[in-house]
């Protein structure tokens, strides 16, 4: 009798799981389809793309867009190196600095924690503006045409600090008190207890920081003029603008020997999207693995 009941219970439990898995698989396919369309469009001739529209498979296979982007491979490789360096440095140092700011704000024995929390939160509501920030960066900090200008201003994010502080506050006070009794210093408590138990939030902040810095082109547009310091996103932005200027100039000039339809257009935009987002697709699974590890490392063992 008990065996029959257990068999019925497993049947009832398997059916909802099968439905949930089917919905998850369908949703995953729907999320992959747009990216497949982007890849297909980047490998399609511009004229065929305008005539047949966006499809899952290229109607007329053409690599003109990628040839236009990689016509100077050394520049692309250098931009990739600058972007990787800036992203890694900003992510590692930013997570460390934001965690060090959030830790004292989460401790009840910090005398000025309310004032400092308000000071950090105030920066989310108001900013100094573009012109004062530009003057400070170029005239006083002298960071123009310096790779540090893409790293230092992005090390601290007020929202991420509050997020880490909230996670630190959920950690049991008994852990810190027992460490204090054993003679551990605040730095030892921070690096040996708070940081290992906060892997989930630190991994999330690291991923958000890396994504934001990888996609940043506005900072380089303001402060970078040296070709060897141009990041990938800003380089692709310049390629697109140069192509638009070329197309507009060709429409106003007679006796053109090049057919404008043969030049990349929308397929170039799709190719730039593939070039820009491709590396992050390989990085995300590693962050996902750290998310799973963080859930187990963050558990308090009694």
């Amino acid at each position: 009798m008990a065996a029959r009941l257990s068999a019925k219970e497993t049947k009832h439990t398997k059916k909802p799981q099968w439905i949930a898995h089917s919905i998850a698989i369908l949703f995953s396919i729907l999320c992959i389809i747009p990216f497949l369309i982007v890849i297909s469009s980047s490998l399609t001739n511009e004229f065929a793309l305008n005539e047949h529209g966006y499809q899952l498979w290229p109607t007329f296979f053409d690599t003109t867009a990628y040839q236009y982007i990689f016509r100077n491979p050394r520049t692309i490789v250098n931009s990739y190196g600058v972007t990787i360096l800036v992203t890694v440095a900003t992510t590692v140092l930013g997570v460390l600095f934001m965690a060090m700011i959030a830790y004292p704000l989460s401790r009840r024995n910090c005398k000025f924690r309310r004032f400092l929390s308000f000071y950090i939160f105030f920066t989310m509501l108001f900013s100094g503006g573009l012109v004062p920030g530009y003057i400070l960066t170029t005239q006083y900090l002298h960071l123009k045409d310096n790779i540090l200008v893409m790293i230092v201003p992005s090390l601290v994010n007020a929202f991420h600090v509050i997020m880490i502080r909230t996670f630190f506050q959920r950690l049991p006070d008994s852990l810190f008190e027992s460490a204090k009794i054993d003679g551990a210093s605040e730095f030892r408590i921070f690096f040996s207890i708070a940081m290992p138990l906060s892997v989930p939030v630190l991994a999330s902040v690291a991923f958000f920081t890396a994504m934001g810095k990888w996609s940043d082109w506005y900072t380089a547009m303001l402060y970078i003029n040296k070709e060897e310091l141009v990041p990938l996103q800003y380089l692709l932005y310049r390629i697109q603008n140069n192509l638009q200027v070329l197309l507009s100039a060709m429409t106003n000039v007679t006796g053109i020997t090049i057919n404008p339809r043969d030049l990349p257009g929308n397929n170039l935009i799709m190719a730039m999207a593939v070039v820009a987002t491709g590396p992050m697709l390989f990085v995300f699974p590693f962050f996902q693995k750290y998310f799973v590890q963080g859930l187990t490392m963050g558990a308090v063992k009694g």
Side-chain angles (χ1 to χ4, degrees):
M1 186 69 180
R4 291 180 180 178
L5 291 176
S6 61
K8 290 182 179 180
E9 290 178 355
T10 53
K11 289 182 180 180
H12 287 296
T13 55
K14 285 183 178 179
K15 188 175 181 180
Q17 290 181 356
W18 179 81
I19 296 174
H21 292 167
S22 301
I23 295 174
I25 293 174
L26 179 62
F27 182 75
S28 301
I29 294 175
L30 293 177
C31 292
I32 295 174
I33 288 177
F35 189 71
L36 295 178
I37 293 176
V38 170
I39 297 177
S40 174
S41 301
S42 66
L43 296 173
T44 304
N45 182 271
E46 178 65 15
F47 178 73
L49 186 64
N50 293 331
E51 183 177 358
H52 301 285
Y54 300 98
Q55 298 181 1
L56 287 174
W57 189 258
T59 55
F60 186 84
F61 186 81
D62 186 18
T63 60
T64 304
Y66 290 98
Q67 292 175 5
Y68 188 84
I69 294 176
F70 291 98
R71 61 179 180 177
N72 192 352
R74 181 178 297 180
T75 304
I76 292 290
V77 172
N78 181 74
S79 298
Y80 262 116
V82 172
T83 302
I84 292 173
L85 175 62
V86 170
T87 302
V88 173
T90 305
T91 302
V92 175
L93 296 177
V95 170
L96 177 61
F97 290 164
M98 286 186 286
M100 294 181 70
I101 295 173
Y103 175 71
L105 298 180
S106 65
R107 301 299 304 274
R108 296 180 180 178
N109 57 356
C110 181
K111 184 180 295 185
F112 303 103
R113 67 188 183 95
R114 290 186 178 180
F115 171 76
L116 294 176
S117 298
F118 175 77
Y119 177 77
I120 294 174
F121 176 74
F122 186 81
T123 60
M124 298 175 60
L125 304 177
F126 303 96
S127 64
L130 178 61
V131 175
Y134 185 85
I135 294 175
L136 175 65
T137 303
T138 57
Q139 301 298 325
Y140 294 92
L141 300 180
H142 303 288
L143 293 179
K144 189 175 179 61
D145 287 330
N146 193 327
I147 196 172
L148 294 178
V149 75
M150 294 183 286
I151 300 176
V152 176
S154 305
L155 291 179
V156 177
N157 184 290
F159 178 75
H160 292 164
V161 171
I162 295 175
M163 200 164 93
I164 299 174
R165 184 207 64 177
T166 304
F167 193 92
F168 282 160
Q169 289 176 343
R170 296 179 180 178
L171 297 177
D173 293 334
S174 57
L175 292 175
F176 304 107
E177 293 175 358
S178 60
K180 273 289 187 181
I181 293 174
D182 293 337
S185 62
E186 291 292 345
F187 280 100
R188 181 65 182 273
I189 295 174
F190 172 73
F191 285 105
S192 300
I193 297 178
M195 291 285 282
L197 293 178
S198 305
V199 173
V201 67
L202 296 179
S204 301
V205 169
F207 179 71
F208 295 148
T209 304
M211 286 291 294
K213 184 49 62 175
W214 182 271
S215 304
D216 182 27
W217 59 271
Y218 188 70
T219 303
M221 185 185 70
L222 291 177
Y223 303 108
I224 299 299
N225 292 324
K226 293 183 179 179
E227 293 295 330
E228 61 271 16
L229 296 180
V230 173
L232 177 65
Q233 300 291 346
Y234 183 50
L235 178 64
L236 298 178
Y237 173 79
R238 287 167 53 178
I239 291 175
Q240 181 181 358
N241 285 345
N242 292 337
L243 179 63
Q244 292 177 354
V245 172
L246 177 62
L247 291 176
S248 62
M250 291 177 64
T251 55
N252 297 326
V253 177
T254 58
I256 300 175
T257 58
I258 301 177
N259 191 350
R261 297 186 304 178
D262 296 332
L263 293 175
N266 293 327
N267 57 347
L268 176 64
I269 298 176
M270 300 301 175
M272 290 191 300
V274 174
V275 172
T277 61
M280 295 305 297
L281 295 178
F282 295 98
V283 173
F284 178 74
F286 295 98
F287 278 96
Q288 187 178 15
K289 179 182 68 174
Y290 288 119
F291 289 155
V292 177
Q293 291 181 355
L295 293 176
T296 57
M297 293 175 63
V300 180
K301 297 182 181 179

